[in-house]
Amino acid sequence: MDRRLAAYAVCIEDGRVLLALAVGPDGDRTWTLPGGGVEHAEDPYDAVIREVAEETGLAAVVERLLGVDSRVIPVGERRLPGAPELQNVGVFYRVRVTGGRLRPEPNGDTAESVWTPLPEVARLRRSSLVDIGIALAQSLPATGHVEPVPVGGLVQH
């Protein structure tokens, strides 16, 4: 099994959430939260700020830890053919934008970033990470955990 530690930014302002359009190697396009893999010896707290800047062009500060999610992506659902199943451990932070200007990620996987009204999120083809992050931000569970989001239809791994 592969394992991945990642940090994700949940930025909700004025009833809108900041989303990033990820483009996979096969051209598959999925809306997700800004964020991504924690580099070797990097703190997830620092990783989420770095990822927001890289993917969106925005400067941000962490306001609070929201929670942690662990999910397993089966072999048959991996984007990389032949790869083993993947355990993705995601650390979710509420962040606040402090500056910058939205732009696509230069030489990266993020085609664009947009502020999306919360009611419109349900109509988007999106990563389950979006639903998990929004649920954590809205409910602020003391455990830092929300129920897994079913994958299927518009909701992807």
Side-chain angles (χ1 to χ4, degrees), residues 37-145:
V38 175
E39 296 177 358
H40 179 74
E42 184 179 31
D43 188 307
Y45 181 95
D46 297 324
V48 76
I49 298 303
R50 175 184 54 75
E51 287 284 348
V52 168
E54 288 176 3
E55 293 181 356
T56 71
L58 299 174
V61 295
V62 170
E63 291 189 321
R64 72 169 285 155
L65 173 66
L66 292 172
V68 177
D69 175 70
S70 176
R71 61 191 174 115
V72 174
I73 301 173
V75 171
E77 297 175 24
R78 293 286 308 267
R79 287 185 176 177
L80 302 171
E85 67 182 358
L86 169 70
Q87 180 186 18
N88 188 73
V89 178
V91 182
F92 291 78
Y93 294 96
R94 182 171 63 202
V95 304
R96 180 174 42 84
V97 170
T98 58
R101 211 172 79 209
L102 281 178
R103 54 128 178 91
E105 181 179 19
N107 305 312
D109 299 333
T110 303
E112 68 176 309
S113 296
V114 298
W115 289 99
T116 305
L118 286 168
E120 291 181 19
V121 170
R123 293 189 287 268
L124 299 175
R125 185 173 192 277
R126 65 197 182 278
S127 167
S128 60
L129 298 170
V130 174
D131 295 54
I132 291 164
I134 290 171
L136 285 167
Q138 291 178 336
S139 64
L140 297 175
T143 61
H145 186 264

